[in-house]
Amino acid sequence: MLKAVPLMALAFVALAAAACTTQTQLRFEPLTPSERTALIEEGREIATSQCGSCHAVGLADASPRPGAPPLRSVLERYDSAALTGNLMIGVRVGHLDMPLFEMGPRGADALVEYLYSIRSTNQQVPER
Ligand code: HEC
């Protein structure tokens, strides 16, 4: 499912990076609504299958594992581009209890797009 789609993935990663850089010269086509929906759906599957045993992955559920913050709150504390990069290359983003993930650019991007979609302060999501 997470086989590489190198060019798209590069564009997504660059887009995520660009979104957090105020003076970027780079311009990318935004995702179309259907592309975004597909990416969010992919991210939801990853979150449910790989994070859901510990973290709440929905809009109002409680984390199964005490101490694991609901994923909807994660973007309040983590920069999305940094999180994408960390998930992609397998840097530990949480506690030592947390397994190490290496999900590749597409998976990391899908997951972060999903995190945006469930973000607790969704009304403040910048145009990306
Ligand atoms: C085995 C349980 C477990 C799994 C599976 C797991 N996590 Fe965690 N994660 C934790 C715990 C526990 C913490 C809290 C660690 C702490 O703050 O000391 C945490 C913390 C985090 C944090 C830091 C949150 C913050 O606000 O500081 C992020 C980001 C995160 N996890 C993302 C993920 C993602 C994304 C996945 C799935 C790809 C995942 N985790 C899967 C247990 C897990």
Side-chain angles (χ1 to χ4, degrees):
M1 179 184 71
L2 299 179
K3 288 279 177 263
V5 270
L7 280 178
M8 288 291 277
L10 269 180
F12 284 135
V13 170
L15 182 64
C20 293
T21 311
T22 43
Q23 292 186 330
T24 180
Q25 301 300 311
L26 300 172
R27 286 286 175 270
F28 291 93
E29 292 297 314
L31 294 178
T32 66
S34 67
E35 282 169 340
R36 175 163 303 185
T37 305
L39 199 59
I40 288 174
E41 198 44 52
E42 234 176 83
R44 187 199 314 276
E45 281 168 23
I46 295 170
T48 307
S49 62
Q50 299 198 46
C51 322
S53 56
C54 299
H55 292 274
V57 297
L59 291 176
D61 48 334
S63 291
R65 164 119 180 203
L71 289 187
R72 61 181 173 273
S73 72
V74 158
L75 286 180
E76 314 317 320
R77 288 180 296 280
Y78 280 78
D79 174 77
S80 65
L83 189 59
T84 307
N86 288 348
L87 289 169
M88 198 168 70
I89 59 179
V91 170
R92 285 186 189 281
V93 291
H95 197 248
L96 288 182
D97 273 5
M98 215 173 108
L100 204 50
F101 298 103
E102 255 183 271
M103 54 185 66
R106 171 80 188 187
D109 224 56
L111 186 52
V112 169
E113 198 66 34
Y114 177 64
L115 296 183
Y116 264 104
S117 80
I118 60 167
R119 190 183 187 178
S120 34
T121 54
N122 243 340
Q123 63 281 9
Q124 291 169 22
V125 174
E127 202 46 54
R128 41 191 315 263

